[in-house]
Amino acid sequence: MDLKTHSTPVLADSAPKNNSRLGLRSALLPYSTNSSSFSASLILNVPRRRGGTLDDVRATLLDSMISSSPTNTILPREPSSESTLGDVPLAYLNWMIKYPSALASFEQIDNRAKGKRIALFLDYDGTLSPIVDNPDQAFMSNAMRATVQNAARHFPTAIISGRSRDKVYEFVGLTELYYAGSHGMDIMCPVQADSRSNKGCIRSTDMQGKEVNLFQPAREFVPLINEVYNSLAEVMKDIAGTKVENNKFCVSVHYRNVDQDKWDTVGQHVQDILNQYPRLRLTHGRKVLEIRPVLSWDKGKAVEFLLESLGLANCDDVLPIYVGDDRTDEDAFKVLREGNRGLGILVSSAPKESSAFYSLRDPSEVMEFLKMLVMWKEKSSNSNTP
């Protein structure tokens, strides 16, 4: 990708395919065991639960599954009670005082962005595509694809997803973007002239034959991830509605289509298997349990890494904007809130606490916001033209 014009296609994975030791086909590069590929400083100290009864542990996990799985929407189609203003519940209106609409507040964003270069970071599920019952059917609309493509022509744009990088690229299909999969544990980025910026990366080429870097801080965990995936796929096959997804550097257990009286069983199976792997940890998303390496790496770190890779870090004239809907996006929101470095925008139709500055209801509003950003950029460029 040409970092100045943002017009050169980039970043589809062309890594050679290999077979893992468990026979699972992978589209990633072979995993190096060279010590330079993994930094011990990334290891998290995650204490294992001690004390309490087994029932206490299960109850806590079930509570977490419920709290991290709000309904898709609380906004009624039509006014139905005195507790609404128009078609929006008062609870949501009150919440929007703290997290105002990015559309209604675009003038504020405009003022913040004056004289700055925007770097755009987007989640995928629930942000660019609707949340659907079958995660394999989470397709973005053609209109959204065209909107994202147009945005990428004006701003450096990256998608940071919990999905595998290969999978999210299949959904999006745009070569103008940068892709980070597995919550930022699999990033393809430009090669920097400064060799220090390439530390820990694997050199590869994109689909256009251009040299790029692959940053995969969790490469050494792939055998464990594959083992856990196989174990979970086996124990979940008898629980109707479960979907176990191998995202290369993490495993996702979707329970969106599972009867709620079976959630406890799903959580129990996940916890029982996780207890055998002290180097892995459990995190929560929207009706999904995720098993990830015990690494100090998340979407917030991925944003920082990409800004550095794009030559946009520590620049007073750069404004990063991150749009996402999931609990895992909070790590990125926090990074941008610290020191007022950028803007986080939470996509949610239900009130919830966040480190974001603004909100959007759903992917349709995300699309409208991206269009407004492009219009702002084009207007700014025209006004600066002699």
Side-chain angles (χ1 to χ4, degrees):
M1 183 179 224
D2 185 328
L3 300 183
K4 295 181 180 178
T5 65
H6 312 305
S7 60
T8 303
V10 304
L11 302 191
D13 192 358
S14 60
K17 295 189 177 182
N18 65 287
N19 294 323
S20 75
R21 68 186 180 90
L22 295 177
L24 297 178
R25 188 164 184 172
S26 170
L28 297 173
L29 288 173
Y31 301 100
S32 168
T33 56
N34 188 307
S35 60
S36 65
S37 67
F38 177 80
S39 172
S41 64
L42 292 178
I43 299 176
L44 278 174
N45 182 17
V46 181
R48 294 288 164 175
R49 183 181 299 278
R50 295 180 182 276
T53 67
L54 184 58
D55 286 342
D56 290 337
V57 175
R58 291 173 178 169
T60 301
L61 178 56
L62 180 59
D63 289 343
S64 296
M65 293 171 69
I66 294 172
S67 65
S68 64
S69 304
T71 56
N72 287 345
T73 180
I74 65 166
L75 303 181
R77 297 291 182 182
E78 300 177 357
S80 58
S81 72
E82 295 181 356
S83 66
T84 64
L85 178 63
D87 63 347
V88 182
L90 285 180
Y92 191 81
L93 291 172
N94 291 333
W95 176 78
M96 289 183 67
I97 296 174
K98 185 175 181 180
Y99 307 101
S101 166
L103 300 179
S105 306
F106 196 82
E107 185 176 351
Q108 295 178 17
I109 298 173
D110 180 351
N111 292 333
R112 177 76 184 276
K114 277 186 170 66
K116 296 183 183 293
R117 295 173 290 163
I118 288 177
L120 193 56
F121 301 93
L122 306 168
D123 183 27
Y124 181 74
D125 292 276
T127 299
L128 300 181
S129 71
I131 296 294
V132 294
D133 289 340
N134 183 351
D136 289 335
Q137 302 295 317
F139 302 116
M140 65 193 304
S141 67
N142 290 333
M144 177 67 86
R145 182 174 291 102
T147 299
V148 173
Q149 185 176 42
N150 198 26
R153 290 169 177 160
H154 293 80
F155 316 105
T157 302
I159 293 182
I160 304 179
S161 173
R163 303 268 195 162
S164 72
R165 180 164 50 84
D166 293 340
K167 185 66 175 180
V168 77
Y169 177 76
E170 286 179 17
F171 278 133
V172 178
L174 297 174
T175 58
E176 293 88 349
L177 311 181
Y178 300 96
Y179 293 89
S182 300
H183 302 290
M185 288 183 285
D186 185 10
I187 303 174
M188 188 179 275
C189 55
V191 175
Q192 295 295 303
D194 184 352
S195 61
R196 291 173 298 179
S197 300
N198 301 319
K199 185 178 180 181
C201 294
I202 299 173
R203 197 64 56 87
S204 183
T205 56
D206 63 16
M207 290 183 67
Q208 290 73 41
K210 182 178 178 180
E211 198 171 39
V212 294
N213 277 332
L214 282 178
F215 183 68
Q216 299 170 329
R219 288 195 298 274
E220 282 76 9
F221 288 83
V222 168
L224 293 184
I225 293 296
N226 286 338
E227 289 178 11
V228 168
Y229 168 75
N230 283 340
S231 296
L232 285 170
E234 179 64 26
V235 299
M236 297 295 177
K237 66 182 183 181
D238 294 328
I239 302 178
T242 54
K243 166 75 175 178
V244 183
E245 187 177 15
N246 188 336
N247 288 314
K248 300 294 176 72
F249 298 103
C250 61
V251 178
S252 300
V253 179
H254 301 270
Y255 55 91
R256 178 171 303 278
N257 298 320
V258 177
D259 290 340
Q260 190 162 343
D261 60 2
K262 296 292 185 181
W263 287 12
D264 182 43
T265 304
V266 172
Q268 178 185 333
H269 284 325
V270 170
Q271 191 64 61
D272 288 345
I273 290 175
L274 186 65
N275 288 340
Q276 304 171 40
Y277 296 90
R279 299 181 66 202
L280 302 177
R281 63 187 175 111
L282 179 65
T283 61
H284 298 263
R286 292 176 62 177
K287 295 187 178 178
V288 59
L289 297 173
E290 295 184 306
I291 294 86
R292 301 162 63 178
V294 179
L295 288 182
S296 180
W297 197 264
D298 51 42
K299 290 185 175 183
K301 295 283 200 313
V303 167
E304 293 178 314
F305 182 89
L306 281 164
L307 286 172
E308 182 72 29
S309 298
L310 297 172
L312 301 176
N314 303 315
C315 297
D316 293 335
D317 67 338
V318 171
L319 179 67
I321 296 178
Y322 188 105
V323 186
D325 76 303
D326 197 66
R327 179 182 288 192
T328 59
D329 297 310
E330 290 297 325
D331 295 312
F333 295 153
K334 291 173 185 175
V335 163
L336 296 186
R337 180 175 279 274
E338 291 171 1
N340 207 23
R341 297 164 66 180
L343 300 177
I345 301 176
L346 174 66
V347 183
S348 179
S349 59
K352 57 184 177 182
E353 287 301 308
S354 174
S355 292
F357 284 96
Y358 297 101
S359 67
L360 294 167
R361 290 193 200 181
D362 52 35
S364 66
E365 287 200 353
V366 173
M367 184 165 65
E368 184 64 25
F369 176 75
L370 295 179
K371 290 178 179 179
M372 292 175 72
L373 276 182
V374 169
M375 291 175 62
W376 168 84
K377 177 64 175 178
E378 291 175 342
K379 181 180 178 181
S380 300
S381 299
N382 291 335
S383 64
N384 293 330
T385 302

PDB file of all heavy atoms in Angstrom, residues 145-173:
ATOM      1  N   ARG A 145     -19.179  -2.743   1.622  1.00  0.00           N
ATOM      2  CA  ARG A 145     -17.866  -3.009   1.025  1.00  0.00           C
ATOM      3  C   ARG A 145     -17.397  -1.816   0.198  1.00  0.00           C
ATOM      4  O   ARG A 145     -16.238  -1.400   0.277  1.00  0.00           O
ATOM      5  CB  ARG A 145     -17.911  -4.282   0.175  1.00  0.00           C
ATOM      6  CG  ARG A 145     -16.568  -4.647  -0.452  1.00  0.00           C
ATOM      7  CD  ARG A 145     -16.623  -5.985  -1.169  1.00  0.00           C
ATOM      8  NE  ARG A 145     -16.763  -7.084  -0.207  1.00  0.00           N
ATOM      9  CZ  ARG A 145     -17.898  -7.718   0.039  1.00  0.00           C
ATOM     10  NH1 ARG A 145     -19.007  -7.364  -0.622  1.00  0.00           N
ATOM     11  NH2 ARG A 145     -17.953  -8.696   0.918  1.00  0.00           N
ATOM     12  N   ALA A 146     -18.295  -1.263  -0.597  1.00  0.00           N
ATOM     13  CA  ALA A 146     -17.940  -0.104  -1.412  1.00  0.00           C
ATOM     14  C   ALA A 146     -17.598   1.103  -0.543  1.00  0.00           C
ATOM     15  O   ALA A 146     -16.678   1.870  -0.861  1.00  0.00           O
ATOM     16  CB  ALA A 146     -19.107   0.236  -2.356  1.00  0.00           C
ATOM     17  N   THR A 147     -18.315   1.255   0.559  1.00  0.00           N
ATOM     18  CA  THR A 147     -18.055   2.373   1.466  1.00  0.00           C
ATOM     19  C   THR A 147     -16.690   2.233   2.135  1.00  0.00           C
ATOM     20  O   THR A 147     -15.933   3.204   2.238  1.00  0.00           O
ATOM     21  CB  THR A 147     -19.162   2.453   2.533  1.00  0.00           C
ATOM     22  OG1 THR A 147     -20.424   2.661   1.897  1.00  0.00           O
ATOM     23  CG2 THR A 147     -18.900   3.597   3.500  1.00  0.00           C
ATOM     24  N   VAL A 148     -16.369   1.027   2.601  1.00  0.00           N
ATOM     25  CA  VAL A 148     -15.072   0.786   3.231  1.00  0.00           C
ATOM     26  C   VAL A 148     -13.942   0.983   2.215  1.00  0.00           C
ATOM     27  O   VAL A 148     -12.897   1.569   2.522  1.00  0.00           O
ATOM     28  CB  VAL A 148     -15.013  -0.633   3.841  1.00  0.00           C
ATOM     29  CG1 VAL A 148     -13.609  -0.954   4.336  1.00  0.00           C
ATOM     30  CG2 VAL A 148     -16.018  -0.759   4.985  1.00  0.00           C
ATOM     31  N   GLN A 149     -14.161   0.503   1.005  1.00  0.00           N
ATOM     32  CA  GLN A 149     -13.150   0.664  -0.041  1.00  0.00           C
ATOM     33  C   GLN A 149     -12.887   2.137  -0.329  1.00  0.00           C
ATOM     34  O   GLN A 149     -11.732   2.573  -0.466  1.00  0.00           O
ATOM     35  CB  GLN A 149     -13.601  -0.046  -1.309  1.00  0.00           C
ATOM     36  CG  GLN A 149     -12.562  -0.033  -2.429  1.00  0.00           C
ATOM     37  CD  GLN A 149     -13.027  -0.845  -3.627  1.00  0.00           C
ATOM     38  OE1 GLN A 149     -14.193  -0.783  -4.020  1.00  0.00           O
ATOM     39  NE2 GLN A 149     -12.123  -1.617  -4.211  1.00  0.00           N
ATOM     40  N   ASN A 150     -13.939   2.927  -0.375  1.00  0.00           N
ATOM     41  CA  ASN A 150     -13.790   4.353  -0.620  1.00  0.00           C
ATOM     42  C   ASN A 150     -13.070   5.036   0.541  1.00  0.00           C
ATOM     43  O   ASN A 150     -12.221   5.918   0.335  1.00  0.00           O
ATOM     44  CB  ASN A 150     -15.165   4.995  -0.845  1.00  0.00           C
ATOM     45  CG  ASN A 150     -15.076   6.351  -1.510  1.00  0.00           C
ATOM     46  OD1 ASN A 150     -14.122   6.648  -2.233  1.00  0.00           O
ATOM     47  ND2 ASN A 150     -16.068   7.184  -1.272  1.00  0.00           N
ATOM     48  N   ALA A 151     -13.399   4.623   1.760  1.00  0.00           N
ATOM     49  CA  ALA A 151     -12.709   5.191   2.926  1.00  0.00           C
ATOM     50  C   ALA A 151     -11.214   4.886   2.877  1.00  0.00           C
ATOM     51  O   ALA A 151     -10.377   5.737   3.198  1.00  0.00           O
ATOM     52  CB  ALA A 151     -13.329   4.646   4.211  1.00  0.00           C
ATOM     53  N   ALA A 152     -10.876   3.653   2.459  1.00  0.00           N
ATOM     54  CA  ALA A 152      -9.468   3.250   2.405  1.00  0.00           C
ATOM     55  C   ALA A 152      -8.696   4.021   1.339  1.00  0.00           C
ATOM     56  O   ALA A 152      -7.467   4.103   1.406  1.00  0.00           O
ATOM     57  CB  ALA A 152      -9.368   1.749   2.136  1.00  0.00           C
ATOM     58  N   ARG A 153      -9.391   4.580   0.361  1.00  0.00           N
ATOM     59  CA  ARG A 153      -8.729   5.403  -0.649  1.00  0.00           C
ATOM     60  C   ARG A 153      -8.354   6.773  -0.105  1.00  0.00           C
ATOM     61  O   ARG A 153      -7.525   7.477  -0.684  1.00  0.00           O
ATOM     62  CB  ARG A 153      -9.634   5.551  -1.870  1.00  0.00           C
ATOM     63  CG  ARG A 153      -9.793   4.262  -2.675  1.00  0.00           C
ATOM     64  CD  ARG A 153     -10.898   4.377  -3.695  1.00  0.00           C
ATOM     65  NE  ARG A 153     -10.999   3.162  -4.503  1.00  0.00           N
ATOM     66  CZ  ARG A 153     -12.081   2.811  -5.193  1.00  0.00           C
ATOM     67  NH1 ARG A 153     -13.167   3.590  -5.156  1.00  0.00           N
ATOM     68  NH2 ARG A 153     -12.092   1.703  -5.902  1.00  0.00           N
ATOM     69  N   HIS A 154      -8.977   7.148   1.014  1.00  0.00           N
ATOM     70  CA  HIS A 154      -8.719   8.459   1.608  1.00  0.00           C
ATOM     71  C   HIS A 154      -7.914   8.392   2.901  1.00  0.00           C
ATOM     72  O   HIS A 154      -7.245   9.367   3.268  1.00  0.00           O
ATOM     73  CB  HIS A 154     -10.048   9.165   1.890  1.00  0.00           C
ATOM     74  CG  HIS A 154     -10.811   9.546   0.665  1.00  0.00           C
ATOM     75  ND1 HIS A 154     -11.579   8.650  -0.061  1.00  0.00           N
ATOM     76  CD2 HIS A 154     -10.921  10.730   0.008  1.00  0.00           C
ATOM     77  CE1 HIS A 154     -12.128   9.268  -1.089  1.00  0.00           C
ATOM     78  NE2 HIS A 154     -11.745  10.531  -1.078  1.00  0.00           N
ATOM     79  N   PHE A 155      -7.991   7.256   3.606  1.00  0.00           N
ATOM     80  CA  PHE A 155      -7.299   7.112   4.888  1.00  0.00           C
ATOM     81  C   PHE A 155      -6.628   5.746   4.954  1.00  0.00           C
ATOM     82  O   PHE A 155      -7.182   4.766   4.437  1.00  0.00           O
ATOM     83  CB  PHE A 155      -8.282   7.199   6.071  1.00  0.00           C
ATOM     84  CG  PHE A 155      -9.298   8.291   5.964  1.00  0.00           C
ATOM     85  CD1 PHE A 155     -10.618   8.008   5.650  1.00  0.00           C
ATOM     86  CD2 PHE A 155      -8.941   9.616   6.183  1.00  0.00           C
ATOM     87  CE1 PHE A 155     -11.569   9.006   5.551  1.00  0.00           C
ATOM     88  CE2 PHE A 155      -9.887  10.629   6.092  1.00  0.00           C
ATOM     89  CZ  PHE A 155     -11.200  10.323   5.772  1.00  0.00           C
ATOM     90  N   PRO A 156      -5.475   5.637   5.603  1.00  0.00           N
ATOM     91  CA  PRO A 156      -4.969   4.293   5.894  1.00  0.00           C
ATOM     92  C   PRO A 156      -5.975   3.576   6.782  1.00  0.00           C
ATOM     93  O   PRO A 156      -6.375   4.100   7.825  1.00  0.00           O
ATOM     94  CB  PRO A 156      -3.643   4.550   6.615  1.00  0.00           C
ATOM     95  CG  PRO A 156      -3.701   5.964   7.067  1.00  0.00           C
ATOM     96  CD  PRO A 156      -4.610   6.696   6.128  1.00  0.00           C
ATOM     97  N   THR A 157      -6.413   2.401   6.363  1.00  0.00           N
ATOM     98  CA  THR A 157      -7.528   1.713   7.020  1.00  0.00           C
ATOM     99  C   THR A 157      -7.153   0.267   7.323  1.00  0.00           C
ATOM    100  O   THR A 157      -6.635  -0.438   6.460  1.00  0.00           O
ATOM    101  CB  THR A 157      -8.779   1.732   6.117  1.00  0.00           C
ATOM    102  OG1 THR A 157      -9.124   3.091   5.819  1.00  0.00           O
ATOM    103  CG2 THR A 157      -9.958   1.053   6.793  1.00  0.00           C
ATOM    104  N   ALA A 158      -7.426  -0.156   8.554  1.00  0.00           N
ATOM    105  CA  ALA A 158      -7.122  -1.525   8.976  1.00  0.00           C
ATOM    106  C   ALA A 158      -8.349  -2.141   9.620  1.00  0.00           C
ATOM    107  O   ALA A 158      -9.122  -1.457  10.298  1.00  0.00           O
ATOM    108  CB  ALA A 158      -5.952  -1.548   9.949  1.00  0.00           C
ATOM    109  N   ILE A 159      -8.527  -3.440   9.392  1.00  0.00           N
ATOM    110  CA  ILE A 159      -9.549  -4.205  10.105  1.00  0.00           C
ATOM    111  C   ILE A 159      -8.844  -5.058  11.146  1.00  0.00           C
ATOM    112  O   ILE A 159      -7.910  -5.798  10.824  1.00  0.00           O
ATOM    113  CB  ILE A 159     -10.354  -5.075   9.135  1.00  0.00           C
ATOM    114  CG1 ILE A 159     -11.184  -4.187   8.202  1.00  0.00           C
ATOM    115  CG2 ILE A 159     -11.278  -6.027   9.905  1.00  0.00           C
ATOM    116  CD1 ILE A 159     -12.050  -4.944   7.231  1.00  0.00           C
ATOM    117  N   ILE A 160      -9.278  -4.937  12.391  1.00  0.00           N
ATOM    118  CA  ILE A 160      -8.711  -5.712  13.494  1.00  0.00           C
ATOM    119  C   ILE A 160      -9.828  -6.577  14.060  1.00  0.00           C
ATOM    120  O   ILE A 160     -10.768  -6.080  14.680  1.00  0.00           O
ATOM    121  CB  ILE A 160      -8.120  -4.800  14.585  1.00  0.00           C
ATOM    122  CG1 ILE A 160      -7.081  -3.851  13.975  1.00  0.00           C
ATOM    123  CG2 ILE A 160      -7.495  -5.635  15.695  1.00  0.00           C
ATOM    124  CD1 ILE A 160      -6.467  -2.891  14.968  1.00  0.00           C
ATOM    125  N   SER A 161      -9.724  -7.874  13.837  1.00  0.00           N
ATOM    126  CA  SER A 161     -10.822  -8.793  14.154  1.00  0.00           C
ATOM    127  C   SER A 161     -10.339  -9.943  15.031  1.00  0.00           C
ATOM    128  O   SER A 161      -9.166 -10.287  15.032  1.00  0.00           O
ATOM    129  CB  SER A 161     -11.413  -9.345  12.848  1.00  0.00           C
ATOM    130  OG  SER A 161     -12.364 -10.352  13.092  1.00  0.00           O
ATOM    131  N   GLY A 162     -11.292 -10.537  15.746  1.00  0.00           N
ATOM    132  CA  GLY A 162     -10.986 -11.762  16.464  1.00  0.00           C
ATOM    133  C   GLY A 162     -10.924 -12.968  15.554  1.00  0.00           C
ATOM    134  O   GLY A 162     -10.410 -14.021  15.920  1.00  0.00           O
ATOM    135  N   ARG A 163     -11.448 -12.824  14.351  1.00  0.00           N
ATOM    136  CA  ARG A 163     -11.388 -13.904  13.359  1.00  0.00           C
ATOM    137  C   ARG A 163      -9.943 -14.110  12.914  1.00  0.00           C
ATOM    138  O   ARG A 163      -9.078 -13.256  13.100  1.00  0.00           O
ATOM    139  CB  ARG A 163     -12.205 -13.525  12.135  1.00  0.00           C
ATOM    140  CG  ARG A 163     -13.644 -13.196  12.404  1.00  0.00           C
ATOM    141  CD  ARG A 163     -14.518 -14.393  12.262  1.00  0.00           C
ATOM    142  NE  ARG A 163     -15.928 -14.003  12.172  1.00  0.00           N
ATOM    143  CZ  ARG A 163     -16.878 -14.773  11.704  1.00  0.00           C
ATOM    144  NH1 ARG A 163     -16.593 -15.981  11.260  1.00  0.00           N
ATOM    145  NH2 ARG A 163     -18.128 -14.360  11.666  1.00  0.00           N
ATOM    146  N   SER A 164      -9.690 -15.241  12.267  1.00  0.00           N
ATOM    147  CA  SER A 164      -8.387 -15.419  11.650  1.00  0.00           C
ATOM    148  C   SER A 164      -8.242 -14.391  10.537  1.00  0.00           C
ATOM    149  O   SER A 164      -9.233 -13.958   9.940  1.00  0.00           O
ATOM    150  CB  SER A 164      -8.241 -16.834  11.077  1.00  0.00           C
ATOM    151  OG  SER A 164      -9.048 -16.994   9.920  1.00  0.00           O
ATOM    152  N   ARG A 165      -7.021 -14.006  10.267  1.00  0.00           N
ATOM    153  CA  ARG A 165      -6.794 -13.005   9.223  1.00  0.00           C
ATOM    154  C   ARG A 165      -7.291 -13.512   7.863  1.00  0.00           C
ATOM    155  O   ARG A 165      -7.854 -12.764   7.067  1.00  0.00           O
ATOM    156  CB  ARG A 165      -5.310 -12.639   9.162  1.00  0.00           C
ATOM    157  CG  ARG A 165      -4.974 -11.600   8.102  1.00  0.00           C
ATOM    158  CD  ARG A 165      -3.598 -11.001   8.332  1.00  0.00           C
ATOM    159  NE  ARG A 165      -2.584 -12.024   8.524  1.00  0.00           N
ATOM    160  CZ  ARG A 165      -1.959 -12.659   7.533  1.00  0.00           C
ATOM    161  NH1 ARG A 165      -2.266 -12.384   6.276  1.00  0.00           N
ATOM    162  NH2 ARG A 165      -1.029 -13.560   7.793  1.00  0.00           N
ATOM    163  N   ASP A 166      -7.060 -14.796   7.594  1.00  0.00           N
ATOM    164  CA  ASP A 166      -7.551 -15.377   6.348  1.00  0.00           C
ATOM    165  C   ASP A 166      -9.066 -15.253   6.237  1.00  0.00           C
ATOM    166  O   ASP A 166      -9.603 -14.902   5.183  1.00  0.00           O
ATOM    167  CB  ASP A 166      -7.169 -16.860   6.267  1.00  0.00           C
ATOM    168  CG  ASP A 166      -5.667 -17.072   6.129  1.00  0.00           C
ATOM    169  OD1 ASP A 166      -4.982 -16.123   5.715  1.00  0.00           O
ATOM    170  OD2 ASP A 166      -5.206 -18.183   6.434  1.00  0.00           O
ATOM    171  N   LYS A 167      -9.760 -15.543   7.339  1.00  0.00           N
ATOM    172  CA  LYS A 167     -11.219 -15.562   7.309  1.00  0.00           C
ATOM    173  C   LYS A 167     -11.785 -14.164   7.100  1.00  0.00           C
ATOM    174  O   LYS A 167     -12.709 -13.972   6.285  1.00  0.00           O
ATOM    175  CB  LYS A 167     -11.770 -16.150   8.619  1.00  0.00           C
ATOM    176  CG  LYS A 167     -13.278 -16.334   8.634  1.00  0.00           C
ATOM    177  CD  LYS A 167     -13.728 -17.384   7.624  1.00  0.00           C
ATOM    178  CE  LYS A 167     -15.211 -17.662   7.718  1.00  0.00           C
ATOM    179  NZ  LYS A 167     -15.655 -18.668   6.739  1.00  0.00           N
ATOM    180  N   VAL A 168     -11.257 -13.183   7.825  1.00  0.00           N
ATOM    181  CA  VAL A 168     -11.806 -11.838   7.682  1.00  0.00           C
ATOM    182  C   VAL A 168     -11.502 -11.284   6.300  1.00  0.00           C
ATOM    183  O   VAL A 168     -12.304 -10.548   5.711  1.00  0.00           O
ATOM    184  CB  VAL A 168     -11.299 -10.911   8.806  1.00  0.00           C
ATOM    185  CG1 VAL A 168      -9.874 -10.458   8.578  1.00  0.00           C
ATOM    186  CG2 VAL A 168     -12.200  -9.684   8.940  1.00  0.00           C
ATOM    187  N   TYR A 169     -10.359 -11.682   5.722  1.00  0.00           N
ATOM    188  CA  TYR A 169     -10.071 -11.238   4.354  1.00  0.00           C
ATOM    189  C   TYR A 169     -11.060 -11.864   3.361  1.00  0.00           C
ATOM    190  O   TYR A 169     -11.499 -11.221   2.414  1.00  0.00           O
ATOM    191  CB  TYR A 169      -8.645 -11.583   3.952  1.00  0.00           C
ATOM    192  CG  TYR A 169      -8.345 -11.207   2.513  1.00  0.00           C
ATOM    193  CD1 TYR A 169      -8.127  -9.883   2.171  1.00  0.00           C
ATOM    194  CD2 TYR A 169      -8.341 -12.167   1.504  1.00  0.00           C
ATOM    195  CE1 TYR A 169      -7.894  -9.515   0.860  1.00  0.00           C
ATOM    196  CE2 TYR A 169      -8.110 -11.812   0.190  1.00  0.00           C
ATOM    197  CZ  TYR A 169      -7.886 -10.487  -0.136  1.00  0.00           C
ATOM    198  OH  TYR A 169      -7.663 -10.132  -1.436  1.00  0.00           O
ATOM    199  N   GLU A 170     -11.436 -13.133   3.595  1.00  0.00           N
ATOM    200  CA  GLU A 170     -12.441 -13.772   2.736  1.00  0.00           C
ATOM    201  C   GLU A 170     -13.755 -13.002   2.775  1.00  0.00           C
ATOM    202  O   GLU A 170     -14.423 -12.825   1.745  1.00  0.00           O
ATOM    203  CB  GLU A 170     -12.683 -15.208   3.196  1.00  0.00           C
ATOM    204  CG  GLU A 170     -11.568 -16.182   2.861  1.00  0.00           C
ATOM    205  CD  GLU A 170     -11.876 -17.583   3.377  1.00  0.00           C
ATOM    206  OE1 GLU A 170     -13.069 -17.838   3.694  1.00  0.00           O
ATOM    207  OE2 GLU A 170     -10.952 -18.405   3.471  1.00  0.00           O
ATOM    208  N   PHE A 171     -14.145 -12.538   3.960  1.00  0.00           N
ATOM    209  CA  PHE A 171     -15.389 -11.791   4.094  1.00  0.00           C
ATOM    210  C   PHE A 171     -15.310 -10.427   3.396  1.00  0.00           C
ATOM    211  O   PHE A 171     -16.249 -10.005   2.731  1.00  0.00           O
ATOM    212  CB  PHE A 171     -15.727 -11.564   5.567  1.00  0.00           C
ATOM    213  CG  PHE A 171     -16.400 -12.737   6.238  1.00  0.00           C
ATOM    214  CD1 PHE A 171     -15.965 -13.181   7.472  1.00  0.00           C
ATOM    215  CD2 PHE A 171     -17.474 -13.372   5.648  1.00  0.00           C
ATOM    216  CE1 PHE A 171     -16.577 -14.256   8.097  1.00  0.00           C
ATOM    217  CE2 PHE A 171     -18.103 -14.445   6.269  1.00  0.00           C
ATOM    218  CZ  PHE A 171     -17.647 -14.888   7.496  1.00  0.00           C
ATOM    219  N   VAL A 172     -14.200  -9.740   3.572  1.00  0.00           N
ATOM    220  CA  VAL A 172     -14.088  -8.360   3.093  1.00  0.00           C
ATOM    221  C   VAL A 172     -13.660  -8.310   1.625  1.00  0.00           C
ATOM    222  O   VAL A 172     -14.243  -7.598   0.816  1.00  0.00           O
ATOM    223  CB  VAL A 172     -13.115  -7.562   3.977  1.00  0.00           C
ATOM    224  CG1 VAL A 172     -12.962  -6.134   3.453  1.00  0.00           C
ATOM    225  CG2 VAL A 172     -13.602  -7.544   5.419  1.00  0.00           C
ATOM    226  N   GLY A 173     -12.591  -9.036   1.305  1.00  0.00           N
ATOM    227  CA  GLY A 173     -12.167  -9.142  -0.082  1.00  0.00           C
ATOM    228  C   GLY A 173     -11.597  -7.875  -0.687  1.00  0.00           C
ATOM    229  O   GLY A 173     -11.616  -7.717  -1.905  1.00  0.00           O
TER     230      GLY A 173
END
